[in-house]
Amino acid sequence: MSRNLRLLRLFTVLGAALAVAACSKLFTETPRPLYRLSAPADIGTGLPPTKAQIVIDAPYSPEGLELRRIAVVRASNGLDYLADGDWADRTPAMIRAVLVEAFENSRAVAAVGPDTLDLRADFELDGDLRHFEAVYDSPGGAAAGTPTVWVSLAVKLVKIPEHKILAQTIINAHEPAAANATPQIVAAFNAATG
């Protein structure tokens, strides 16, 4: 047997062993917990009802916020992620789901749905997710070492089919986390998003 053939077999056996070891890791590691946000259930009464139908787009977000990872800022311009949990869906899709549910809970809109359903609507709600992160060393933190969640969403109400912007605003919210632990940070995200 030639030396090259023996080396090839050795690398093949080593490659197979590494593949089996990598697969076994999939079955032995505990999956990271998944978190989701919930829409406010009790939207203020007295909202003027409308017969309009609204479709809600997933907001545009920068690549670092588009993931399922829970973003944190530890330095003035550095983005990092929590190591012990992820969002249950990509951030833009999760924000869209919360907005759809909030409009449904308001009972003021005749019909609302996500843009993925290809509905014929009167209006479209477009957005840009500018901030969706837990910021450490921020003013107003609940206690030393705890982050403050920052949510910022620029929204535009667009008339269909003209694609004319009728209204726009920027919604900002800051919510200090009760503790420096993933469940409390997620609760702060939920409060700020609400």
Side-chain angles (χ1 to χ4, degrees):
M1 182 180 310
S2 75
R3 184 176 194 279
N4 290 342
L5 188 55
R6 278 186 274 164
L7 283 174
L8 180 62
R9 285 187 179 167
L10 177 64
F11 284 124
T12 304
V13 169
L14 285 173
L18 288 173
V20 168
C23 287
S24 68
K25 186 177 179 181
L26 290 174
F27 298 112
T28 58
E29 269 192 17
T30 306
R32 292 156 45 114
L34 297 177
Y35 296 94
R36 66 182 195 89
L37 300 176
S38 56
D42 186 21
I43 307 290
T45 58
L47 293 174
T50 179
K51 294 184 188 253
Q53 297 187 37
I54 300 173
V55 80
I56 298 179
D57 287 343
Y60 163 81
S61 65
E63 188 175 334
L65 299 179
E66 187 179 359
L67 310 169
R68 290 175 58 168
R69 307 285 309 271
I70 301 172
V72 297
V73 175
R74 297 183 195 279
S76 61
N77 60 356
L79 196 60
D80 200 358
Y81 304 97
L82 291 179
D84 58 349
D86 292 319
W87 294 122
D89 202 348
R90 287 180 41 254
T91 305
M94 187 174 55
I95 295 296
R96 176 183 54 210
V98 168
L99 288 170
V100 168
E101 189 178 343
F103 274 98
E104 289 171 343
N105 291 347
S106 76
R107 293 179 180 78
V109 179
V112 63
D115 62 329
T116 55
L117 296 180
D118 197 29
L119 303 171
R120 293 181 187 234
D122 304 304
F123 301 96
E124 181 176 51
L125 192 66
D126 290 332
D128 292 322
L129 189 61
R130 298 185 176 175
H131 291 279
F132 197 74
E133 64 265 358
V135 181
Y136 283 84
D137 297 328
S138 59
T146 61
T148 296
V149 169
W150 184 8
V151 176
S152 180
L153 180 65
V155 292
K156 294 172 179 59
L157 183 64
V158 180
K159 175 76 170 126
I160 298 175
E162 297 89 348
H163 294 288
K164 179 180 179 183
I165 297 173
L166 299 179
Q168 59 186 357
T169 190
I170 298 175
I171 302 163
N172 289 301
H174 295 84
E175 184 70 31
N180 189 20
T182 299
Q184 286 78 15
I185 294 170
V186 168
F189 269 105
N190 203 53
T193 304

